[in-house]
Amino acid sequence: QVQLVESGGGSVQAGGSLRLSCSASGYTCTYDMSWYRQAPGKEREFVSAIDDDGRTSYADSVKGRFTISRDNAKNTVYLQMDSLKPEDTAMYYCKTDPYSGTWWKPFPPCEESYWGQGTQVTVSS
């Protein structure tokens, strides 16, 4: 059974840092990993992604402040968040998508996407 478990959320003051983790289990396929966030009253939005080959992308709002990384041996993706701002306050969700690259992989691309339950990040001014 596929499972995604996020951790590392919490409350910090503006300018502070947090490191989110998302551990995946139960997969027998290859997947890309990403982070999304949803603030109260707003739609869920893309934050950052990393594919199985290590290629990364970021939303403009977090470029230069957030860093995504991945440890395939641990099936874990990380989001290092520095210089946090109050507008970063949100529930942060981990997501996996079918592998989007073209390299041969031991396991085929996953057929569907999965979401974690989320971890809350609160940044006070």
Side-chain angles (χ1 to χ4, degrees):
Q1 182 178 358
V2 167
Q3 189 174 20
L4 290 172
V5 179
E6 300 102 329
S7 61
S11 297
V12 295
Q13 291 191 328
S17 298
L18 283 173
R19 188 193 194 206
L20 306 184
S21 299
C22 173
S23 295
S25 61
Y27 285 78
T28 56
C29 54
T30 305
Y31 48 89
D32 298 340
M33 303 186 82
S34 56
W35 289 95
Y36 284 72
R37 67 186 181 186
Q38 187 168 20
K42 295 188 176 181
E43 293 187 353
R44 192 170 297 189
E45 64 176 6
F46 170 78
V47 176
S48 182
I50 184 167
D51 70 11
D52 191 68
D53 302 319
R55 292 174 298 188
T56 61
S57 59
Y58 297 91
D60 288 342
S61 59
V62 306
K63 278 182 182 177
R65 300 188 298 120
F66 291 9
T67 304
I68 193 170
S69 61
R70 178 171 178 169
D71 186 339
N72 285 343
K74 296 182 179 180
N75 298 317
T76 300
V77 63
Y78 306 96
L79 186 68
Q80 177 66 41
M81 306 186 295
D82 299 318
S83 303
L84 283 161
K85 305 175 180 179
E87 51 263 43
D88 294 318
T89 295
M91 184 72 78
Y92 283 71
Y93 297 90
C94 177
K95 182 186 182 190
T96 62
D97 289 301
Y99 172 61
S100 58
T102 59
W103 293 97
W104 179 87
K105 299 291 181 179
F107 296 102
C110 296
E111 296 182 350
E112 55 186 297
S113 301
Y114 298 95
W115 290 93
Q117 293 300 307
T119 185
Q120 178 67 39
V121 171
T122 302
V123 184
S124 58
S125 58

